[in-house]
Amino acid sequence: MVFSPTRQTVNEANFWQEVAEKLKRTNSANLNDDLNKILRPIRRSESVKAFRRLTQALNSHPNSGSWLTGRAYLLAGIAYISAAQISLTNHKTQHARQFCFLAAENFVKASQHLPPWERKSVLRWASQLKQIAGKLDAEPFYALTHLKALAIKAKSHAKFVPPVRQGR
């Protein structure tokens, strides 16, 4: 079965949302045992390696479960940005708008779980996505440029594994 690039990115976003929901319900003590099962549907994503590195860095940090949940929502939002880019490139403005709003929604959810030093950036990106969605019809080239720049920022942020101290 062959899926369109848009369908593939939407599927990836849905899987990351699933991962976030499962992480919310997982006890932090069982996280290492449950992680392989939780990541099974998304194991082919290029983002899984960075997610695993973050998991190892957080190891037994008291907020690890919540922060990983936030990162999963962030990755879902990034996938929706990719879907918006593909849709806009294919002149499907209404779909692109929908994906911008879905990405913004996931960024807002992510901000509720991420550490304080990451929240402002993610909320700013959510706000930018809403502005971009409003400009899709009038300025599609600039909207696409902004989506690409935002995707680069968010992907770089999602790959970053901060040095985590246990008392933080």
Side-chain angles (χ1 to χ4, degrees), residues 67-81:
W67 292 356
L68 290 171
T69 299
R71 193 59 62 100
Y73 279 125
L74 178 65
L75 292 167
I78 291 167
Y80 278 126
I81 291 174

Side-chain angles (χ1 to χ4, degrees), residues 45-109:
S45 170
E46 65 183 46
S47 303
V48 170
K49 284 183 182 178
F51 193 82
R52 286 188 182 280
R53 280 194 308 272
L54 180 64
T55 303
Q56 290 170 349
L58 293 175
N59 197 6
S60 61
H61 192 279
N63 295 324
S64 64
S66 182
W67 292 356
L68 290 171
T69 299
R71 193 59 62 100
Y73 279 125
L74 178 65
L75 292 167
I78 291 167
Y80 278 126
I81 291 174
S82 295
Q85 288 176 283
I86 294 166
S87 295
L88 191 55
T89 301
N90 292 326
H91 307 290
K92 295 183 179 178
T93 309
Q94 193 57 35
H95 290 127
R97 183 174 293 106
Q98 178 185 4
F99 295 137
C100 284
F101 286 128
L102 288 168
E105 181 181 316
N106 276 280
F107 284 175
V108 169
K109 286 181 182 178

Side-chain angles (χ1 to χ4, degrees), residues 11-53:
N11 285 344
E12 182 173 343
N14 291 336
F15 286 138
W16 278 114
Q17 287 175 317
E18 235 178 80
V19 167
E21 292 301 318
K22 287 178 182 176
L23 285 168
K24 277 194 221 178
R25 295 186 302 265
T26 301
N27 182 348
S28 292
N30 299 334
L31 186 59
N32 288 332
D33 298 335
D34 293 343
L35 193 61
N36 284 333
K37 284 187 261 181
I38 292 170
L39 292 176
R40 187 171 294 133
I42 198 77
R43 69 181 174 270
R44 289 189 175 96
S45 170
E46 65 183 46
S47 303
V48 170
K49 284 183 182 178
F51 193 82
R52 286 188 182 280
R53 280 194 308 272

